[in-house]
Amino acid sequence: MKFVCRSILGVDIDKGLIETANWNLRRISRTGNVAPESAKVHNSSDSTTQSCREEVVSEMPNGNISKHEQPDLFEIVSFRSENFVQSTHRYTEQYDTIMCLSVTKWIHLNWGDDGIITLFVKIWSLLRPGGIFIMEPQPWTSYRKNRLVSEVAKENFNDICIYPEKFREILLDKVRAISAASAMFFSSFLQQSCCKPCSGACR
């Protein structure tokens, strides 16, 4: 595997997507088609590249070359169907990297500003010191296109005060200063401080 990860956990509320992910994991494990770019060793003497199926070679921070046995994907990669925002599941580990790609809109439309703040606080609490959070928020125009998918989404859309362009500011200046236990209180504080007042007109 390219980054020699010790563990990878994928979480999604959609059980169908989790089943598809597990099916793909089994397929990849059977065919052995795992990160072909990482399973190559460069020979500097003749500038040729040869395949290395049994082990992965990576460069360590000190410049040395370290060889790792190709790991069993099932021991590293796992998927779980879960409502991350509302779940009371207690994670016992922290992570070096957390990715949140194209899901903030759906959390926002289904759980409003409180849901977004809860998401950010939980993610922040799960990151190790120096960890990386990679987020791909959808633009506000995408919110408009999907605001009528349900009555809940329509109502939350009209009440949103924390817009996607504010996510970075909130993450850097607000969320890291609080704990997960303060999520609901903090969201109320944001609504009071960011909007005048918090209503459909604050857009």
Side-chain angles (χ1 to χ4, degrees):
M1 299 180 67
K2 186 172 182 179
F3 298 104
V4 196
C5 299
R6 293 188 299 272
S7 66
I8 301 173
L9 172 63
V11 178
D12 197 281
I13 194 172
D14 190 329
K15 292 183 179 180
L17 291 178
I18 295 299
E19 290 176 359
T20 300
N22 281 317
W23 183 87
N24 284 327
L25 181 61
R26 290 192 295 270
R27 177 180 59 81
I28 292 172
S29 183
R30 285 196 303 269
T31 60
N33 185 24
V34 183
E37 290 298 323
S38 66
K40 293 179 180 180
V41 182
H42 183 70
N43 188 325
S44 59
S45 61
D46 57 8
S47 297
T48 60
T49 302
Q50 63 184 33
S51 175
C52 178
R53 296 181 180 275
E54 298 300 324
E55 58 191 16
V56 177
V57 177
S58 63
E59 186 174 349
M60 304 300 286
N62 59 9
N64 296 328
I65 298 298
S66 173
K67 294 184 178 181
H68 306 272
E69 292 183 1
Q70 189 71 304
D72 182 351
L73 278 181
F74 289 101
E75 294 180 359
I76 296 176
V77 182
S78 61
F79 300 98
R80 179 165 61 238
S81 176
E82 177 184 305
N83 183 336
F84 183 77
V85 172
Q86 294 187 320
S87 172
T88 58
H89 176 81
R90 291 184 176 276
Y91 289 82
T92 58
E93 295 185 1
Q94 288 187 307
Y95 298 86
D96 297 308
T97 303
I98 296 179
M99 302 175 68
C100 184
L101 308 179
S102 297
V103 298
T104 51
K105 173 185 67 178
W106 299 113
I107 291 173
H108 222 163
L109 289 177
N110 282 286
W111 292 282
D113 288 341
D114 283 341
I116 283 293
I117 294 301
T118 299
L119 171 73
F120 291 165
V121 171
K122 281 190 171 184
I123 287 175
W124 199 270
S125 69
L126 290 173
L127 277 176
R128 285 193 177 97
I132 298 172
F133 176 35
I134 302 173
M135 178 177 61
E136 180 191 26
Q138 294 100 318
W140 185 248
T141 54
S142 180
Y143 281 63
R144 288 188 179 278
K145 292 178 181 178
N146 292 275
R147 70 187 188 280
L148 300 180
V149 295
S150 69
E151 285 299 318
V152 171
K154 181 180 179 180
E155 182 178 346
N156 283 329
F157 176 82
N158 290 329
D159 291 338
I160 286 174
C161 294
I162 305 172
Y163 300 103
E165 60 267 24
K166 292 290 186 180
F167 288 175
R168 176 182 172 85
E169 175 187 344
I170 290 170
L171 282 166
L172 295 179
D173 297 337
K174 312 292 189 195
V175 173
R176 63 180 176 182
I178 64 172
S179 65
S182 308
M184 299 302 289
F185 167 81
F186 183 68
S187 182
S188 298
F189 165 76
L190 277 177
Q191 291 177 355
Q192 294 171 16
S193 61
C194 295
C195 304
K196 305 178 183 179
C198 183
S199 68
C202 70
R203 190 169 296 100

